[in-house]
Amino acid sequence: MRRGLVMVAVGVGLNLVGYSIKRNELENYGWAMIVGTILFGVGFLFIFYSFVRKVEYKGIVEERAVVAEKKEQRETDMQNNDDDSESLRAQS
């Protein structure tokens, strides 16, 4: 996410430099604006991708917790069934 924020900031800065150069009627302002726009776009994509990864990670963690809980519940049920079977045998 930091990389994305840095790229967005540099992109905005280069666009401002490009506009400043253009306002002073100097040449070659286009390169600064092109690079600034590309960096801004790539930075935005980095930020968006990091948010998507965080949400996906949280979903995976929750899913694993549910699976672990179900597994633990099955093991507990199996142990209870074994205990019940042994007590019935002892009574017979």
Side-chain angles (χ1 to χ4, degrees):
M1 183 165 203
R2 286 185 200 145
R3 256 189 305 185
L5 290 173
V6 168
M7 288 179 139
V8 166
V10 170
V12 168
L14 282 174
N15 273 323
L16 292 175
V17 167
Y19 281 119
S20 172
I21 293 171
K22 183 179 178 183
R23 191 173 5 154
N24 292 330
E25 297 178 4
L26 300 173
E27 303 220 0
N28 296 330
Y29 64 89
W31 289 106
M33 295 177 82
I34 291 170
V35 173
T37 303
I38 290 172
L39 284 176
F40 179 83
V42 172
F44 179 79
L45 289 177
F46 271 115
I47 292 169
F48 181 74
Y49 181 67
S50 71
F51 283 132
V52 169
R53 282 183 42 206
K54 285 180 185 179
V55 169
E56 186 176 339
Y57 175 76
K58 288 180 181 179
I60 289 171
V61 168
E62 288 175 3
E63 183 179 331
R64 287 181 182 169
V66 168
V67 169
E69 185 177 325
K70 285 181 181 179
K71 182 179 179 182
E72 184 179 317
Q73 183 65 33
R74 269 187 265 129
E75 290 174 357
T76 304
D77 289 344
M78 288 178 64
Q79 286 176 353
N80 289 340
N81 289 339
D82 289 343
D83 292 343
D84 291 342
S85 298
E86 289 176 13
S87 65
L88 287 175
R89 285 184 202 154
Q91 290 177 357
S92 303

